[in-house]
Amino acid sequence: MTDTTDRYTFDEHDVVVTHEKSYAAGVPAVLVSLRRGIEQMGPVRTARTLMKLNQREGFDCPGCAWPETPGHRKHAEFCENGAKAVAEEATTRTVGPEFFAAHSVSDLLGRTEFWLGQQGRLTHPMVLVPGSSHYEPIGWDAAFAMIAGELRALASPHEAVFYTSGRTSNEAAFVYQLMIRAFGTNNLPDCSNMCHESSGSALVETIGIGKGSVSVPDLENADLILIAGQNPGTNHPRMLSTLEKAKGNGARVIAINPLPEAGLMRFKDPQKVHGVVGDGVQIADEFLQIRIGGDQALFQGLGRLLLEAEDRNPGTVLDREFIDRHTAGFEECAAHLRQVDLGTVAAATGLTLAQIQATADALIASKKTIICWAMGLTQQTHGVATIQDAVNLLLLQGMIGKPGAGVCPVRGHSNVQGDRTMGIWEKMPESFLAALDAEFGIRSPREHGLDAVDSIRAMRDGKASVFVGMGGNFVSATPDTETTEAALRGCALTVQVSTKLNRSHLVTGRTALILPSLGRTDKDVQNGKKQQVSVEDSMSMVHLSRGSLKPAGDQLRSEIAIVCGIAQALFGPDHSVPWREFTADYDRIRDSIARVIPGFEDFNAKVRGPDGFGLPHPPRDERRFVTDTGKANFTVNELSWLPVPEGRLILQTMRSHDQYNTTIYGLDDRYRGVKGGRRVLFIAPDDIAALGYTDGDRVDLISEWEAPDGTVQERRADDFRLVPYPTPRGNVAAYYPETNPLIPLDHVAKKSNTPVSKAITIRLERRL
Ligand SMILES: Nc1nc2c(c(=O)[nH]1)N[C@H]1C(S)=C(S)[C@@H](COP(=O)(O)OP(=O)(O)OC[C@H]3O[C@@H](n4cnc5c(=O)[nH]c(N)nc54)[C@H](O)[C@@H]3O)O[C@H]1N2
Ligand SMILES: Nc1nc2c(c(=O)[nH]1)N[C@H]1C(S)=C(S)[C@@H](COP(=O)(O)OP(=O)(O)OC[C@H]3O[C@@H](n4cnc5c(=O)[nH]c(N)nc54)[C@H](O)[C@@H]3O)O[C@H]1N2
Ligand SMILES: [Mo]
């Protein structure tokens, strides 16, 4: 239990707005990371921990999924925000039975997500029994028996949903999905459903695999890198070092974003002298300040300009040989792109025709182009189509499957990509299910399961009544907070396997369990032997991660031990899966993975190599495209963009520099010049004036959503301070998760069913 309550109470209206910073990292970043570490865990543990971060013998950073440079791991291969992620997990503050005795669930519900997270690591399994106001301790075996009992009591296995957040290791993810499929359902929603699902949908259809096709050396050697809808200075800071290197090698970088994000504009590498003095390196050569949702129009417009340039100078722009040998659908796509109206492109993007032409010229001049993207593209109604139009652009010039070129969806959670590889997906293909069945003598269900949005619908409609969360913070990360909370409250049982306290522990079913687990930094000993787990980064490299810190208490169990414990209670001692052996030795899990998942042959040996190993990627490795046509598919996508309705604004919800998703590290967004509060709305000065407000006014946000039956639904989020900011007219920005109550559950991307967190129609109401 901690005594830090006072230190972290705050008045949201103490927010201070300064000038936004035009550079990222530098000395302040080093100072912030050390200060946060020392606050949370003292100087000795801080030094010991940061030394092990992303080192060969250390643990994988629980922050983002950006890869380490192969063969070049230097000391301190971490960034400010990686250090914050580690400090958050390695904290010596704890939340145990006394804490829960002192705080009722309703007391805790009144606290902010920031306050909850600051209380420390969960140390004991806890249960909230029906009608009780407080969580109480429970033994592990009793908790497992309770879960097994509730699961067995369901009329169908499909009445349970099993969520996964992307920090779970490969081994834990593999045993988790195995337990769920042996139980009889594919209801495996995950954070990826809300994240890069649009990338997966778009890439599988076009190039046959939902993963990025480039490596760090490819980026370092590219001629041209487009970075669209991504804020690497905050969310993937180590990517800036790669970009800096690319620039040193002559690359041009074009940033496409409604906001002039700090890391893109200038970057100071704190590990280099010139990062500490001087102005740093300018990362972006061009900044295209695009309107929210305008990217598809931009990519289509660029496609048209490339085709016209080829017409003018045949043989100089398109890669005809690549198109003929490796692609399908070129003629239809070209015909479609040729009729794109450039006036519409200008209106949709807010860019001038000169800017668009200059970007086309940069593409034409480049022999090696990479397009990077993240949530600004995926969390849009037309996210899948936008990414497919980006792929069209690359295919026109043969930019897939050659060094220095390709697609680069930059992943979020540190092992979100690995979890998918391990089978965390509601619609794994038959080949995977058949191999799983053959390995374990089970019969996996074949019908697809529920994703995140459909899980909420099922719980809301009484069709699912047990929720299990393997990490994450489902209640706060999902859209439509009121609906989602009601859905979870309707459950018979909610179970959260977690490291830290969050709101999902407080919005519960009739009975609720909190199961405290080890994190990435913790030492994991089973059967007297130190265990290690593996992860896959954003570029399909798999390597080991070994925690080394003393766990927050002797009751904590690894995610693997927790899953295997539930499975043993559920299936009894004579099950065909060796659950007990799996817990005792993670090598046994890897042996099974090696037989089930292609690319993992000889897993235990390969993963022990110095930098682990890379997974096969047919388009990258051999220009082989495992699609319906056997070729890379050009696609024809109807153009969508987002005109701003009269008197309304389009809101994007994003991360501050001081948070990890729903985990709030602090209340400052240094790069955007905001201090001491999160309830802010970034808005163009001209919009402030046009709507009759002044800088600093406080407003409520009301989202407007036309339901399929034609009625307009309204949702509210109260009390935001207006902050004048260089964002396009009609486009505003605020932080997630405070704004999640505004996002209608049905406001999802076509095909991927991803919540549209980056384009919500709102109006403002003055606070009286
Ligand atoms: N420190 C830290 N690191 C993280 C995370 C974190 O919360 N904190 N989260 C992790 C996770 S799970 C993920 S998915 C990634 C997220 O990484 P990002 O995708 O970088 O995260 P967001 O803050 O959502 O930023 C979205 C960016 O897209 C821009 N944008 C919004 N709408 C549009 C649009 O229509 N077009 C274009 N071109 N741009 C647009 C926004 O201005 C913003 O710069 O980061 C991962 N890493
Ligand atoms: N409005 C809006 N909503 C969004 C987004 C957005 O941009 N805007 N982004 C979406 C995206 S990209 C994502 S990925 C999701 C994120 O959704 P989630 O992954 O569900 O959310 P997190 O906040 O990352 O989860 C944090 C919790 O995970 C637990 N945890 C941390 N490490 C571990 C571990 O090692 N093991 C276990 N068992 N638990 C652990 C801790 O208890 C912590 O409180 O949110 C989505 N929601
Ligand atoms: Mo994410």
Side-chain angles (χ1 to χ4, degrees):
M1 182 149 153
T2 57
D3 57 356
T4 52
T5 320
D6 290 343
R7 189 144 43 110
Y8 290 99
T9 29
F10 58 90
D11 173 358
E12 276 284 2
H13 298 291
D14 288 347
V15 42
V16 178
V17 179
T18 59
H19 285 296
E20 70 273 11
K21 294 278 184 297
S22 59
Y23 65 88
V27 171
V30 176
L31 294 180
V32 170
S33 50
L34 291 178
R35 179 163 56 78
R36 286 287 160 71
I38 292 165
E39 265 172 28
Q40 294 276 358
M41 52 182 161
V44 176
R45 198 165 149 108
T46 300
R48 190 178 297 151
T49 310
L50 295 181
M51 295 261 292
K52 288 270 166 90
L53 184 51
N54 286 340
Q55 299 301 304
R56 279 182 179 157
E57 296 301 316
F59 57 88
D60 182 67
C61 181
C64 73
W66 190 257
E68 286 69 55
T69 314
H72 295 96
R73 290 197 203 187
K74 14 178 198 192
H75 263 301
E77 175 84 27
F78 68 91
C79 66
E80 172 190 355
N81 278 346
K84 287 186 204 163
V86 167
E88 187 77 16
E89 181 174 301
T91 180
T92 47
R93 302 175 193 157
T94 56
V95 172
E98 326 81 68
F99 174 90
F100 286 105
H103 296 279
S104 67
V105 171
S106 63
D107 162 12
L108 295 173
L109 265 174
R111 310 288 182 154
T112 62
E113 204 67 79
F114 177 48
W115 187 91
L116 294 172
Q118 289 300 323
Q119 301 313 301
R121 285 288 295 269
L122 295 160
T123 57
H124 287 69
M126 304 294 298
V127 65
L128 184 69
V129 298
S132 175
S133 56
H134 289 70
Y135 272 98
E136 300 155 34
I138 181 174
W140 280 105
D141 288 342
F144 294 152
M146 185 179 273
I147 298 168
E150 289 284 354
L151 288 174
R152 279 197 297 258
L154 295 173
S156 148
H158 304 310
E159 292 177 10
V161 299
F162 298 88
Y163 177 67
T164 314
S165 166
R167 281 207 190 164
T168 295
S169 67
N170 289 334
E171 292 75 8
F174 185 79
V175 292
Y176 185 52
Q177 62 82 33
L178 174 61
M179 173 188 80
I180 296 160
R181 296 200 158 98
F183 174 59
T185 184
N186 283 312
N187 288 348
L188 283 142
D190 69 349
C191 67
S192 206
N193 297 144
M194 301 181 269
C195 185
H196 266 293
E197 198 67 60
S198 301
S199 308
S201 302
L203 293 177
V204 166
E205 190 177 327
T206 52
I207 64 167
I209 176 169
K211 300 181 180 182
S213 73
V214 300
S215 62
V216 169
D218 286 324
L219 276 156
E220 288 173 354
N221 293 302
D223 291 339
L224 177 65
I225 303 172
L226 305 190
I227 303 176
Q230 194 203 342
N231 179 17
T234 285
N235 297 313
H236 307 90
R238 284 179 301 116
M239 180 175 175
L240 297 185
S241 311
T242 306
L243 293 173
E244 190 187 3
K245 207 151 171 198
K247 287 192 63 88
N249 293 338
R252 276 171 75 83
V253 176
I254 300 181
I256 305 168
N257 202 304
L259 307 181
E261 301 285 28
L264 292 170
M265 308 320 274
R266 264 190 206 292
F267 166 54
K268 292 184 178 187
D269 184 344
Q271 295 170 2
K272 287 200 192 135
V273 176
H274 74 83
V276 181
V277 293
D279 287 341
V281 176
Q282 172 126 15
I283 296 285
D285 297 278
E286 302 297 335
F287 169 49
L288 300 182
Q289 185 163 30
I290 198 161
R291 296 189 49 245
I292 292 175
D295 305 83
Q296 192 195 3
L298 175 65
F299 295 141
Q300 289 202 354
L302 292 170
R304 172 177 167 164
L305 294 176
L306 291 191
L307 290 166
E308 290 176 352
E310 173 76 8
D311 293 343
R312 284 193 300 275
N313 293 300
T316 60
V317 178
L318 304 191
D319 184 340
R320 269 287 168 191
E321 199 203 323
F322 176 85
I323 293 172
D324 294 344
R325 273 188 64 182
H326 296 294
T327 71
F330 168 72
E331 294 302 338
E332 295 83 340
C333 175
H336 181 71
L337 293 177
R338 280 178 193 284
Q339 53 78 45
V340 169
D341 173 42
L342 292 177
T344 305
V345 173
T349 57
L351 303 172
T352 63
L353 289 177
Q355 282 176 303
I356 299 166
Q357 184 62 57
T359 310
D361 292 342
L363 285 165
I364 293 166
S366 167
K367 299 267 171 286
K368 294 173 284 178
T369 303
I370 292 175
I371 303 184
C372 303
W373 72 87
M375 299 302 102
L377 262 50
T378 63
Q379 296 173 338
Q380 298 285 359
T381 317
H382 50 299
V384 177
T386 302
I387 296 161
Q388 292 193 336
D389 276 315
V391 172
N392 284 336
L393 213 49
L394 293 171
L395 293 180
L396 285 174
Q397 295 189 286
M399 294 293 177
I400 305 253
K402 72 174 182 186
V407 284
C408 183
V410 183
R411 299 281 159 186
H413 266 301
S414 53
N415 198 39
V416 61
Q417 185 162 321
D419 289 347
R420 274 292 165 93
T421 308
M422 292 297 125
I424 304 291
W425 195 27
E426 70 280 359
K427 37 190 185 202
M428 286 304 282
E430 174 59 29
S431 55
F432 176 89
L433 299 175
L436 194 69
D437 290 357
E439 170 73 8
F440 295 108
I442 60 169
R443 170 77 194 156
S444 299
R446 290 327 200 242
E447 62 273 46
H448 290 173
L450 302 171
D451 64 10
V453 165
D454 285 335
S455 292
I456 297 169
R457 291 182 175 133
M459 290 185 281
R460 176 195 65 192
D461 300 340
K463 292 180 185 151
S465 63
V466 172
F467 176 92
V468 179
M470 178 55 68
N473 184 358
F474 191 79
V475 163
S476 290
T478 49
D480 220 345
T481 311
E482 204 179 309
T483 305
T484 301
E485 294 199 353
L488 281 151
R489 289 190 198 284
C491 286
L493 175 69
T494 48
V495 181
Q496 305 288 346
V497 179
S498 313
T499 52
K500 303 283 296 266
L501 191 61
N502 63 47
R503 197 171 165 83
S504 294
H505 302 115
L506 311 173
V507 178
T508 69
R510 217 164 38 244
T511 303
L513 286 165
I514 299 175
L515 304 180
S517 83
L518 297 176
R520 208 57 79 64
T521 53
D522 298 318
K523 190 189 283 182
D524 182 356
V525 178
Q526 304 290 344
N527 214 14
K529 197 175 139 202
K530 203 173 160 201
Q531 304 290 328
Q532 40 205 354
V533 294
S534 66
V535 293
E536 175 184 340
D537 67 31
S538 205
M539 293 173 181
S540 306
M541 297 296 299
V542 181
H543 57 84
L544 285 175
S545 173
R546 312 161 177 88
S548 55
L549 296 181
K550 186 164 176 276
D554 58 9
Q555 289 283 306
L556 268 63
R557 292 202 182 173
S558 73
E559 291 177 344
I560 293 167
I562 295 170
V563 170
C564 293
I566 298 172
Q568 283 170 268
L570 185 60
F571 303 123
D574 302 323
H575 196 242
S576 61
V577 179
W579 301 107
R580 191 181 299 276
E581 289 75 10
F582 278 172
T583 313
D585 183 359
Y586 301 172
D587 279 352
R588 287 291 306 271
I589 305 174
R590 283 185 282 270
D591 286 338
S592 281
I593 293 172
R595 288 186 290 267
V596 172
I597 306 178
F600 285 83
E601 300 78 13
D602 217 7
F603 189 6
N604 269 307
K606 276 195 298 195
V607 81
R608 286 178 164 84
D611 288 311
F613 63 99
L615 291 173
H617 190 290
R620 178 197 64 200
D621 303 338
E622 42 183 327
R623 287 195 158 170
R624 191 160 60 79
F625 300 94
V626 191
T627 61
D628 54 349
T629 57
K631 296 193 167 181
N633 287 319
F634 279 100
T635 50
V636 172
N637 307 293
E638 194 194 328
L639 177 58
S640 301
W641 60 288
L642 303 174
V644 183
E646 182 63 31
R648 304 295 183 267
L649 298 162
I650 298 191
L651 168 73
Q652 60 144 321
T653 64
M654 61 184 186
R655 291 149 174 84
S656 84
H657 193 62
D658 231 0
Q659 72 182 87
Y660 195 95
N661 298 340
T662 71
T663 298
I664 311 304
Y665 300 139
L667 301 174
D668 300 344
D669 194 357
R670 203 170 73 245
Y671 295 165
R672 299 195 185 102
V674 169
K675 277 190 148 165
R678 294 178 44 88
R679 299 190 84 87
V680 291
L681 185 74
F682 297 98
I683 176 168
D686 288 350
D687 279 329
I688 298 186
L691 295 167
Y693 293 101
T694 48
D695 176 1
D697 278 356
R698 283 158 58 179
V699 295
D700 295 339
L701 314 184
I702 294 99
S703 70
E704 298 177 351
W705 170 251
E706 195 179 322
D709 65 4
T711 55
V712 175
Q713 301 173 356
E714 296 197 345
R715 291 170 175 78
R716 305 181 67 92
D718 287 345
D719 204 2
F720 288 73
R721 181 200 193 280
L722 297 182
V723 173
Y725 205 79
T727 174
R729 286 289 305 268
N731 287 179
V732 291
Y735 301 129
Y736 130 75
E738 286 80 351
T739 43
N740 286 44
L742 295 170
I743 310 173
L745 188 61
D746 293 335
H747 190 23
V748 289
K750 290 183 205 119
K751 285 194 190 169
S752 64
N753 215 27
T754 294
V756 178
S757 303
K758 295 289 188 275
I760 306 143
T761 305
I762 63 164
R763 64 169 200 274
L764 309 183
E765 263 178 30
R766 187 184 298 278
R767 276 188 83 78
L768 299 174

